[in-house]
Coordinates of all heavy atoms in Angstrom, one line a residue:
H1 N 92.9 105.6 106.1 CA 91.8 105.0 105.6 C 90.7 106.0 105.1 O 89.7 105.7 104.4 CB 91.1 104.0 106.5 CG 90.4 104.6 107.7 ND1 89.2 105.1 107.7 CD2 91.0 104.7 109.0 CE1 89.0 105.5 108.9 NE2 89.9 105.4 109.7
N2 N 90.8 107.3 105.5 CA 89.9 108.3 105.1 C 90.2 108.9 103.7 O 89.3 109.4 103.0 CB 89.9 109.6 106.1 CG 89.7 109.3 107.4 OD1 90.2 109.9 108.3 ND2 88.6 108.5 107.7
L3 N 91.3 108.6 103.2 CA 91.8 109.2 102.0 C 91.0 108.8 100.7 O 91.1 109.5 99.6 CB 93.3 109.2 101.8 CG 94.2 109.6 102.9 CD1 95.6 109.5 102.6 CD2 93.8 111.1 103.3
N4 N 90.4 107.7 100.7 CA 89.8 107.2 99.5 C 88.5 108.1 99.2 O 88.0 108.0 98.0 CB 89.5 105.8 99.5 CG 88.3 105.4 100.6 OD1 88.3 106.0 101.6 ND2 87.4 104.5 100.2
R5 N 87.9 108.7 100.2 CA 86.8 109.5 99.9 C 86.7 110.9 100.5 O 85.9 111.7 100.1 CB 85.6 108.7 100.5 CG 85.7 108.6 102.0 CD 84.7 107.5 102.5 NE 84.8 107.4 104.0 CZ 85.7 106.7 104.6 NH1 86.6 106.1 104.0 NH2 85.6 106.7 106.0
Q6 N 87.7 111.3 101.2 CA 87.9 112.6 101.9 C 89.0 113.3 101.3 O 90.1 113.5 101.7 CB 88.0 112.5 103.4 CG 86.8 111.8 104.1 CD 87.0 111.6 105.6 OE1 87.7 112.4 106.2 NE2 86.2 110.7 106.1
V7 N 88.7 113.8 100.0 CA 89.7 114.2 99.1 C 90.4 115.5 99.5 O 91.5 115.8 99.0 CB 89.1 114.5 97.7 CG1 88.5 113.1 97.2 CG2 87.9 115.6 97.7
A8 N 89.9 116.3 100.5 CA 90.6 117.5 100.9 C 91.8 117.1 101.7 O 92.6 118.0 102.1 CB 89.7 118.4 101.6
F9 N 92.0 115.9 102.2 CA 93.0 115.6 103.1 C 94.1 114.6 102.5 O 94.8 113.9 103.3 CB 92.3 114.8 104.3 CG 91.1 115.5 105.0 CD1 90.0 115.0 105.3 CD2 91.2 116.9 105.1 CE1 89.0 115.6 106.0 CE2 90.2 117.6 105.7 CZ 89.0 116.9 106.2
Y10 N 94.3 114.8 101.3 CA 95.3 114.0 100.6 C 96.8 114.1 101.3 O 97.5 113.2 101.2 CB 95.4 114.3 99.1 CG 95.8 115.7 98.8 CD1 97.1 116.0 98.6 CD2 94.9 116.7 98.7 CE1 97.6 117.3 98.3 CE2 95.2 118.0 98.4 CZ 96.6 118.3 98.2 OH 97.1 119.5 98.0
D11 N 97.0 115.3 101.9 CA 98.3 115.6 102.5 C 98.3 115.9 104.0 O 99.1 116.6 104.5 CB 99.0 116.7 101.7 CG 98.2 118.0 101.8 OD1 97.0 118.0 102.3 OD2 98.7 119.1 101.5
A12 N 97.2 115.4 104.7 CA 96.8 115.8 106.0 C 96.8 114.7 107.0 O 96.1 115.0 108.0 CB 95.6 116.7 105.9
I13 N 97.4 113.6 106.8 CA 97.3 112.6 107.8 C 97.7 113.1 109.1 O 98.8 113.6 109.3 CB 98.0 111.2 107.3 CG1 97.3 110.6 106.1 CG2 98.0 110.2 108.4 CD1 98.0 109.5 105.5
G14 N 96.9 112.7 110.2 CA 97.4 113.2 111.5 C 96.9 114.6 112.0 O 96.8 115.0 113.2
M15 N 96.3 115.3 111.0 CA 95.8 116.7 111.2 C 94.4 116.6 111.7 O 93.7 115.7 111.4 CB 96.0 117.5 110.0 CG 97.4 117.9 109.7 SD 97.5 119.0 108.2 CE 96.8 120.5 108.8
L16 N 93.9 117.7 112.5 CA 92.5 117.8 112.7 C 91.8 118.2 111.5 O 92.1 119.1 110.7 CB 92.3 118.8 113.8 CG 92.8 118.4 115.2 CD1 93.0 119.6 116.1 CD2 91.8 117.4 115.9
K17 N 90.7 117.4 111.2 CA 89.8 117.7 110.0 C 89.3 119.0 109.8 O 89.3 119.7 108.9 CB 88.7 116.6 110.0 CG 89.2 115.2 109.8 CD 88.0 114.2 109.7 CE 88.4 112.8 109.4 NZ 87.3 111.8 109.3
A18 N 88.7 119.6 111.0 CA 88.2 120.9 111.0 C 89.2 121.9 110.6 O 89.0 122.9 109.7 CB 87.6 121.3 112.3
E19 N 90.4 121.8 111.2 CA 91.5 122.8 110.8 C 92.0 122.7 109.4 O 92.1 123.7 108.7 CB 92.7 122.7 111.9 CG 92.3 123.0 113.3 CD 93.4 122.9 114.2 OE1 94.5 122.3 113.8 OE2 93.4 123.4 115.3
R20 N 92.1 121.5 109.0 CA 92.6 121.3 107.6 C 91.6 121.7 106.5 O 91.9 122.3 105.6 CB 92.9 119.8 107.3 CG 93.6 119.6 105.9 CD 94.9 120.3 105.9 NE 95.6 120.2 104.6 CZ 95.2 121.0 103.6 NH1 94.4 122.0 103.6 NH2 95.9 120.8 102.4
L21 N 90.2 121.4 106.8 CA 89.3 121.8 105.8 C 89.1 123.4 105.8 O 88.9 123.9 104.8 CB 87.9 121.2 106.2 CG 86.8 121.4 105.2 CD1 87.1 121.0 103.8 CD2 85.4 120.8 105.6
A22 N 89.2 123.9 107.0 CA 89.1 125.3 107.1 C 90.1 126.1 106.4 O 90.0 127.0 105.7 CB 89.1 125.9 108.6
K23 N 91.4 125.5 106.4 CA 92.5 126.0 105.7 C 92.3 125.9 104.2 O 92.5 126.9 103.5 CB 93.8 125.3 106.1 CG 95.1 125.8 105.4 CD 96.3 125.0 105.8 CE 97.5 125.4 105.0 NZ 98.7 124.6 105.4
T24 N 91.9 124.8 103.7 CA 91.5 124.6 102.4 C 90.5 125.7 101.8 O 90.6 126.3 100.7 CB 91.0 123.2 102.0 OG1 92.0 122.3 102.3 CG2 90.5 123.1 100.6
M25 N 89.4 125.8 102.7 CA 88.3 126.8 102.3 C 88.9 128.2 102.3 O 88.4 129.0 101.4 CB 87.2 126.6 103.3 CG 86.5 125.3 103.2 SD 85.4 124.8 104.6 CE 84.2 126.2 104.4
T26 N 89.7 128.6 103.2 CA 90.2 129.9 103.2 C 91.1 130.1 102.0 O 91.1 131.2 101.4 CB 91.2 130.0 104.5 OG1 90.3 129.9 105.7 CG2 91.8 131.4 104.5
E27 N 91.9 129.1 101.6 CA 92.7 129.3 100.4 C 91.9 129.4 99.1 O 92.2 130.3 98.3 CB 93.7 128.2 100.3 CG 94.8 128.0 101.4 CD 95.6 126.8 101.4 OE1 95.1 125.8 100.6 OE2 96.6 126.7 102.1
M28 N 90.8 128.7 99.1 CA 89.9 128.8 97.9 C 89.2 130.1 97.9 O 89.0 130.6 96.8 CB 88.8 127.7 98.0 CG 89.4 126.3 97.7 SD 88.1 124.9 97.9 CE 87.1 125.4 96.4
G29 N 88.9 130.7 99.0 CA 88.3 132.0 99.2 C 89.2 133.1 98.6 O 88.7 134.1 98.0
K30 N 90.4 132.9 99.0 CA 91.3 134.0 98.5 C 91.5 133.9 97.0 O 91.6 135.0 96.3 CB 92.7 133.7 99.1 CG 92.9 134.0 100.6 CD 94.2 133.6 101.1 CE 94.3 133.9 102.6 NZ 95.6 133.5 103.2
I31 N 91.4 132.8 96.3 CA 91.6 132.7 94.9 C 90.2 133.2 94.3 O 90.4 133.9 93.2 CB 91.7 131.2 94.5 CG1 93.1 130.7 95.0 CG2 91.7 131.0 93.0 CD1 93.3 129.2 94.8
S32 N 89.2 132.9 94.8 CA 87.8 133.2 94.2 C 87.5 134.7 94.5 O 86.5 135.3 93.9 CB 86.7 132.3 94.6 OG 86.5 132.4 96.0
G33 N 88.1 135.3 95.4 CA 87.7 136.7 95.9 C 86.6 136.7 97.0 O 86.1 137.8 97.3
A34 N 86.2 135.5 97.5 CA 85.2 135.6 98.6 C 85.9 136.0 99.9 O 87.0 135.8 100.3 CB 84.8 134.2 98.8
A35 N 85.0 137.0 100.5 CA 85.5 137.5 101.8 C 84.9 136.8 103.0 O 85.0 137.4 104.1 CB 84.9 139.1 101.8
T36 N 84.7 135.5 102.9 CA 84.1 134.7 103.9 C 85.3 134.5 105.0 O 86.4 134.0 104.6 CB 83.7 133.4 103.5 OG1 82.7 133.6 102.4 CG2 83.0 132.5 104.5
K37 N 84.9 134.6 106.2 CA 85.8 134.3 107.4 C 85.5 132.8 107.7 O 84.4 132.4 108.0 CB 85.6 135.2 108.6 CG 86.5 134.9 109.7 CD 86.3 135.7 110.9 CE 87.2 135.5 112.1 NZ 86.9 136.5 113.2
I38 N 86.6 132.0 107.8 CA 86.5 130.6 108.2 C 87.1 130.3 109.5 O 88.2 130.6 109.7 CB 87.1 129.6 107.1 CG1 86.8 130.2 105.7 CG2 86.7 128.2 107.3 CD1 85.2 130.0 105.3
R39 N 86.3 129.7 110.4 CA 86.8 129.3 111.7 C 86.7 127.9 111.9 O 85.7 127.2 111.6 CB 86.2 130.1 112.8 CG 86.2 131.6 112.7 CD 85.6 132.3 114.0 NE 84.3 131.9 114.3 CZ 83.5 132.6 115.1 NH1 84.1 133.7 115.8 NH2 82.3 132.2 115.4
A40 N 87.8 127.2 112.5 CA 87.7 125.7 112.8 C 87.4 125.7 114.3 O 88.1 126.3 115.2 CB 89.0 125.1 112.4
I41 N 86.4 124.8 114.6 CA 86.1 124.4 116.0 C 86.3 122.9 116.1 O 85.7 122.1 115.6 CB 84.6 124.8 116.3 CG1 84.3 126.3 116.1 CG2 84.3 124.4 117.8 CD1 82.9 126.7 116.2
T42 N 87.3 122.6 117.0 CA 87.8 121.2 117.0 C 87.3 120.4 118.2 O 88.0 120.1 119.1 CB 89.4 121.2 117.0 OG1 89.8 122.0 118.1 CG2 90.0 121.6 115.7
G43 N 86.0 120.4 118.3 CA 85.4 119.6 119.4 C 84.2 118.9 118.8 O 83.8 119.1 117.8
K44 N 83.7 118.0 119.7 CA 82.5 117.2 119.3 C 81.2 118.0 119.6 O 81.1 118.6 120.6 CB 82.5 115.9 120.2 CG 81.4 114.9 119.7 CD 81.4 113.6 120.5 CE 82.6 112.7 120.0 NZ 82.4 111.4 120.6
F45 N 80.3 117.9 118.6 CA 79.1 118.6 118.8 C 78.3 117.9 119.9 O 78.1 116.7 119.8 CB 78.2 118.7 117.6 CG 77.0 119.4 117.7 CD1 76.9 120.8 117.7 CD2 75.8 118.7 117.9 CE1 75.7 121.5 117.9 CE2 74.6 119.3 118.1 CZ 74.6 120.8 118.0
T46 N 77.8 118.7 120.9 CA 76.8 118.1 121.9 C 75.7 119.1 122.1 O 75.8 120.2 121.6 CB 77.5 118.0 123.3 OG1 77.9 119.3 123.8 CG2 78.8 117.2 123.1
P47 N 74.6 118.7 122.8 CA 73.5 119.6 123.1 C 73.9 120.9 123.8 O 73.2 121.9 123.7 CB 72.6 118.8 123.9 CG 72.8 117.4 123.5 CD 74.3 117.4 123.2
E48 N 75.1 120.9 124.4 CA 75.6 122.0 125.2 C 76.5 122.9 124.3 O 77.1 123.8 124.9 CB 76.3 121.5 126.4 CG 75.5 120.9 127.6 CD 75.1 119.5 127.1 OE1 75.9 118.7 126.4 OE2 73.9 119.1 127.4

């Protein structure tokens, strides 16, 4: 049900969103020449 608006995940049902988005961003960086390091953190944000 995410696929109608979360367009980066068209082929990623069942995958962790952070990991899949980080992968997409890394691939885009390689194409554009950006030297950005992308890390996925697969946990819920809390005050701690």
Side-chain angles (χ1 to χ4, degrees):
H1 67 83
N2 298 141
L3 301 185
N4 69 320
R5 61 195 183 280
Q6 300 180 20
V7 295
F9 303 140
Y10 63 92
D11 60 350
I13 294 176
M15 295 181 64
L16 288 162
K17 292 181 180 180
E19 291 183 348
R20 185 62 182 88
L21 183 58
K23 180 181 178 182
T24 296
M25 293 165 62
T26 299
E27 292 171 349
M28 292 181 66
K30 291 178 180 178
I31 294 172
S32 66
T36 305
K37 181 179 181 180
I38 313 295
R39 302 189 302 191
I41 301 176
T42 56
K44 181 177 287 189
F45 180 84
T46 69
E48 292 73 37

